Amino acid sequence: MLAVAEINYIRHEVNFKGCGYSSVAKKMGRDPRTVKKYAEMEDFNEKPKKKLTRTAPVIGPVKAILDEWIKEDLKKKKKFRRTAKRMWELLKEHHGFIGSDRTVRDYVSTRKKDFLNEVNDAALPLEAIPGTAQVDFGEAPFVYGGEEIVLPYLVLSFPFSNAFYFQVFPSQNRECFLEGMKRVFHHMGGVPKTIRFDNLSPAVKKILPNGERQLTDEFQNFVLHYGFECEFCNPNSGNEKGHVEAMVKYIRNNFLLPGLHVIELDELNKKLWGKAEKDRKRKHYQKKWKIEELFEEDKDAFLLLPAKEYECVRYETLKADKYGYIKLDLNLYSTSPRYALSKVLVKISYNRVDILNDDHQLVVSHSRLYGQYRKSMKWQPYLNLMAKRPTALKYTSFYDQLPEEWKNYFGSCTVTEKPEALKLLSIILKDHDFSVITKALVIASEYGHPSVDAIKQVFYQLINGRGIRSELSSKRSLPQLPVATRGLDHYDQLQKEVQHNE
């Protein structure tokens, strides 16, 4: 491109003075063809410069390999990523690369920036970028124990592919919220790189000015553990996560109505994985591809799972009342008599409430109660105390929970046997349920009322797999002994005989 002054001179000399191309070219020291070009030029609009594409005979054949390695590494923590030097060494060792390490370093540096820019652009879930997700709760009716109840279900949806997963929970609390996402992550084998949320109370403690959020401690730790970016809708702007809201309705209408009969939530949730995956056989409502094919693109963009699974629990220190109960969400849970009026550490998950001692060892474990003003009583830690007051046994709920065999046994126990039997149960029920110890009682009772030591001996024979000793046989015929009976009947009979003799 000539200077502007030269172009003006050419156009003036040729177009206004009528000079020839050769004469003007001679005066300027230019080629006549150049003079002709600018004299006749009519379009002076600026055009973008074409980018020169140079062939890269050395790096070209391995670009695809390097791109794949860079994409893999961006899903890992920085300390686990390959350096450009290491990539160069691997290329030489496995792919016969003959280029310099500088060539590889320059290429890797440029491509990392390109890919990171793509990731930054991807942090807009509404644009349906692969690997992004949205989360929300829905509600549906279920039939449990013959009664209709309403339970929440957590939905994780993927706007790019229109795929989804969902799990049913007893509540929308923090533990259920995190447990649901964790289950989906580990079932898929990856983590969405960006997830959009409503301002759910399990995640957001407080909405701050300028769009900032104060997150709950549990949610913040969960985000750090799995490494995804979280985005939140503006208050009262549910349309900003419109995909998951539409999917909540779709799931309810197609999978949860009419109300499903529920016996165990865990069993129901296992079946829901297959229902969500079977739904992907249909085509996307806009794109020509099947949802399951598009979901593979979502999965390719996922982050890798961390090596360790996150434990969705929280810890609280609570004070027990004089009976040893702690109160959690307006429900009562037993601890142990030794913790009455004392503080205990409580480990809380979506389905368990564990009471821990000062060394963080388990004292007693409860199934978590949902609803209000309910009570969970585990009697094992109280049995030693009950052994000191055995007459109170019949007036406790523990007695109502006893198998009939044990009720009958306690009914025929002597005053000294009852405390010993309660102490035995205190030991056995710490690690076992009633099934084996009740079987031991039945076997030990075959020849009459057994002692506590006899029940204990049979129990340990059963759990150690030694079997039961067979009855000893004798060649001698023994005289038939009268049947031994217990109680005061003998005393009454003796009194009658004495009175008769008098």
Side-chain angles (χ1 to χ4, degrees):
M1 184 75 176
L2 296 180
V4 174
E6 289 182 301
I7 296 172
N8 287 333
Y9 178 77
I10 290 170
R11 292 175 69 82
H12 183 269
E13 292 296 308
V14 173
N15 296 329
F16 290 96
K17 289 188 175 183
C19 299
Y21 300 138
S22 298
S23 63
V24 175
K26 189 175 181 180
K27 293 177 184 178
M28 297 181 65
R30 297 285 184 179
D31 190 286
R33 288 172 296 185
T34 302
V35 173
K36 181 176 183 297
K37 171 186 171 182
Y38 285 104
E40 297 177 356
M41 184 179 290
E42 294 181 356
D43 185 4
F44 283 88
N45 283 309
E46 186 176 356
K47 295 180 177 60
K49 295 180 180 179
K50 290 185 178 180
K51 187 176 181 181
L52 296 177
T53 55
R54 298 177 181 175
T55 58
V58 177
I59 196 74
V62 297
K63 281 183 176 179
I65 298 171
L66 288 171
D67 285 353
E68 191 63 30
W69 288 351
I70 295 167
K71 288 179 181 177
E72 287 177 2
D73 284 356
L74 287 176
K75 297 179 181 180
K76 301 175 183 177
K77 291 182 178 179
K78 189 172 183 179
K79 65 180 180 180
F80 296 141
R81 297 174 186 172
R82 288 163 283 206
T83 62
K85 182 174 182 291
R86 178 58 181 155
M87 291 183 185
W88 173 62
E89 292 171 347
L90 291 172
L91 288 176
K92 288 196 302 178
E93 183 177 350
H94 299 291
H95 301 279
F97 184 69
I98 59 173
S100 67
D101 63 331
R102 170 59 62 187
T103 303
V104 174
R105 286 204 300 268
D106 289 345
Y107 181 79
V108 169
S109 175
T110 301
R111 293 300 284 160
K112 276 185 179 179
K113 292 175 184 176
D114 293 341
F115 290 138
L116 286 172
N117 286 337
E118 290 178 13
V119 170
N120 290 336
D121 292 340
L124 298 170
L126 294 179
E127 294 184 0
I129 303 297
T132 60
Q134 298 180 4
V135 170
D136 202 5
F137 274 107
E139 289 185 335
F142 294 85
V143 179
Y144 177 75
E147 295 183 6
E148 188 172 280
I149 59 174
V150 175
L151 293 177
Y153 56 97
L154 185 80
V155 179
L156 194 74
S157 73
F158 303 89
F160 175 79
S161 63
N162 209 36
F164 60 85
Y165 279 112
F166 67 107
Q167 293 280 279
V168 180
F169 286 96
S171 172
Q172 297 187 32
N173 61 28
R174 280 171 281 184
E175 293 73 43
C176 294
F177 173 62
L178 299 181
E179 177 70 21
M181 286 194 292
K182 181 187 77 171
R183 285 185 189 178
V184 176
F185 294 168
H186 287 271
H187 181 79
M188 296 188 303
V191 181
K193 56 190 176 186
T194 305
I195 305 178
R196 179 170 283 263
F197 301 90
D198 201 345
N199 296 288
L200 298 166
S201 58
V204 178
K205 189 184 298 184
K206 187 178 181 181
I207 300 176
L208 303 174
N210 302 320
E212 297 294 323
R213 302 291 190 280
Q214 183 181 353
L215 305 181
T216 62
D217 293 340
E218 294 84 0
F219 181 67
Q220 182 66 73
N221 290 337
F222 184 85
V223 172
L224 292 172
H225 187 87
Y226 285 105
F228 62 90
E229 289 188 33
C230 49
E231 295 184 342
F232 295 95
C233 301
N234 291 313
N236 304 316
S237 300
N239 59 296
E240 294 180 4
K241 57 175 181 57
H243 185 269
V244 72
E245 293 201 343
M247 204 55 70
V248 164
K249 295 177 184 177
Y250 178 84
I251 291 169
R252 184 190 300 115
N253 293 337
N254 289 275
F255 301 103
L256 301 178
L257 293 179
L260 299 179
H261 288 259
V262 178
I263 299 175
E264 288 289 340
L265 276 183
D266 287 342
E267 290 302 315
L268 170 65
N269 282 324
K270 288 178 184 177
K271 298 176 182 177
L272 298 183
W273 299 124
K275 289 183 181 294
E277 287 158 2
K278 185 178 179 181
D279 185 75
R280 297 178 197 153
K281 301 294 181 183
R282 60 191 175 93
K283 285 189 176 181
H284 190 278
Y285 66 98
Q286 287 181 330
K287 304 169 185 176
K288 62 181 181 179
W289 302 99
K290 286 186 177 180
I291 293 174
E292 62 183 355
E293 295 170 336
L294 295 170
F295 187 61
E296 290 301 315
E297 292 189 48
D298 271 320
K299 292 174 68 175
D300 288 342
F302 284 170
L303 306 172
L304 295 179
L305 284 170
K308 188 174 182 181
E309 187 173 310
Y310 187 80
E311 190 177 14
C312 302
V313 300
R314 62 186 169 96
Y315 293 88
E316 286 192 24
T317 300
L318 301 173
K319 186 176 181 180
D321 63 18
K322 65 179 181 180
Y323 301 107
Y325 286 105
I326 56 104
K327 183 182 286 188
L328 176 67
D329 300 329
L330 299 180
N331 293 314
L332 297 178
Y333 298 88
S334 64
T335 61
S336 169
R338 68 177 181 271
Y339 294 116
L341 300 177
S342 300
K343 291 183 178 180
V344 293
L345 183 63
V346 186
K347 180 181 177 182
I348 306 160
S349 69
Y350 85 99
N351 64 344
R352 305 296 308 170
V353 174
D354 294 336
I355 313 299
L356 309 178
N357 63 18
D358 292 339
D359 297 323
H360 295 183
Q361 300 297 313
L362 182 66
V363 176
V364 64
S365 182
H366 297 266
S367 294
R368 186 167 180 179
L369 300 174
Y370 286 94
Q372 294 181 351
Y373 309 112
R374 301 176 64 194
K375 182 190 295 185
S376 177
M377 179 67 192
K378 297 289 184 178
W379 280 101
Q380 183 274 328
Y382 288 78
L383 294 183
N384 278 327
L385 176 62
M386 195 182 297
K388 299 176 182 178
R389 307 169 188 172
T391 55
L393 172 63
K394 276 196 172 183
Y395 306 100
T396 64
S397 61
F398 175 70
Y399 183 80
D400 298 332
Q401 298 167 12
L402 284 173
E404 284 300 318
E405 295 86 348
W406 279 98
K407 288 181 180 179
N408 295 333
Y409 178 73
F410 279 116
S412 59
C413 275
T414 63
V415 174
T416 56
E417 282 179 331
K418 191 176 290 186
E420 292 303 315
L422 288 168
K423 289 178 182 178
L424 174 63
L425 288 179
S426 174
I427 296 171
I428 301 301
L429 295 180
K430 191 170 185 179
D431 300 308
H432 303 272
D433 59 22
F434 262 110
S435 58
V436 181
I437 190 63
T438 301
K439 184 177 180 181
L441 172 62
V442 172
I443 294 172
S445 301
E446 289 179 355
Y447 303 104
H449 182 85
S451 67
V452 174
D453 285 338
I455 301 170
K456 180 179 179 181
Q457 181 181 8
V458 175
F459 171 78
Y460 284 111
Q461 287 175 347
L462 289 173
I463 64 171
N464 292 323
R466 298 175 188 166
I468 306 302
R469 295 178 183 176
S470 58
E471 182 180 0
L472 295 175
S473 59
S474 174
K475 294 182 179 179
R476 294 184 180 180
S477 59
L478 298 176
Q480 185 70 33
L481 297 176
V483 177
T485 58
R486 304 172 66 84
L488 300 178
D489 292 344
H490 292 296
Y491 179 77
D492 294 341
Q493 183 63 32
L494 180 62
Q495 283 286 87
K496 291 179 181 178
E497 290 178 0
V498 171
Q499 292 173 359
H500 178 73
N501 292 332
E502 288 178 351

